[in-house]
Amino acid sequence: SSELTQDPAVSVALGQTVQITCQGDSLRMYYATWYQQKPGQAPVLVIYGEKNRPSGIPDRFSASSSENTAYLTITGAQAEDEADYFCKSRDSSGNHLVFGGGTKLTVL
Amino acid sequence: EVQLLESGGGLVQRGGSLRLSCAASGFTFNNYAMTWVRQAPGKGLECVSGISGSGDSTYYADSVKGRFTISRDNSKNTLYLQMNSLRVEDTALYYCAKRGASDFWSGYSGFDYWGQGALVTVSS
């Protein structure tokens, strides 16, 4: 099991706001990075560093954190945001990179 | 345009070996750390190995340490993963990905470009 815990599935109505969470003790010390993966495609980086978006990622994607939890927020979710979302950070020892188990986002 | 093209995947018996390659273009290869991330069918992501831009620092997940070896040839803009003593549980799609920094452990960058993956199937 991963040291980063994500809800397996989350749904959001079209145009509404959704928050995807990632929990782990290591997040008290290390930033979470977020990736989006659509079926049959390679992952895409959506958030890096504390809350930076790569070029080409819409500004409806944002990130925040508190204590041992990192949050990916999509403000005004679009149909094309339906995908799996994975967080990544170090483990509690700091010696390994780990991914969360992923959250499947459904846009209704 | 950044491109990462994996090759070398295939079907191998348990205990066998394979070498994956990742040909990179569109960026100054030796300025960036690289990584191999795998995804078993229907499962999540696992970072199995990484290497700094200069090649002098490497990382391995516990699940592959002692069996896999990552390397890079900066003169050929190519990343490699030598996989020995393969197990059924190594069956996965192996992605090559570029880090947005020369240091593999950089906390201020992510894996900003990915290839389409090379499928490795280990049979029993």
Side-chain angles (χ1 to χ4, degrees), chain A residues 58-72:
Chain A
D59 60 6
R60 63 178 178 272
F61 289 88
S62 62
S64 60
S65 64
S66 177
E67 301 290 332
N68 68 335
T69 302
Y71 304 91
L72 175 69

Side-chain angles (χ1 to χ4, degrees), chain B residues 11-119:
Chain B
L11 175 64
V12 62
Q13 283 197 323
R14 182 178 52 194
S17 298
L18 277 177
R19 187 175 85 152
L20 302 182
S21 299
C22 173
S25 62
F27 63 102
T28 304
F29 186 64
N30 62 4
N31 282 355
Y32 296 95
M34 300 292 294
T35 188
W36 290 98
V37 175
R38 71 183 179 185
Q39 187 168 35
K43 302 297 185 182
L45 302 170
E46 181 186 14
C47 179
V48 297
S49 190
I51 189 167
S52 62
S54 64
D56 60 2
S57 175
T58 57
Y59 162 78
Y60 296 97
D62 287 343
S63 57
V64 306
K65 191 173 291 186
R67 300 187 297 122
F68 290 12
T69 302
I70 192 171
S71 61
R72 62 191 297 159
D73 185 336
N74 286 344
S75 69
K76 295 182 178 179
N77 290 352
T78 303
L79 175 73
Y80 303 100
L81 186 68
Q82 178 67 44
M83 304 184 293
N84 298 332
S85 303
L86 282 162
R87 305 169 179 168
V88 172
E89 55 265 36
D90 294 320
T91 294
L93 187 63
Y94 284 72
Y95 293 104
C96 161
K98 169 188 169 291
R99 169 72 97 172
S102 61
D103 175 11
F104 175 75
W105 288 108
S106 169
Y108 296 95
S109 67
F111 301 150
D112 53 5
Y113 290 92
W114 297 63
Q116 286 305 303
L119 183 62

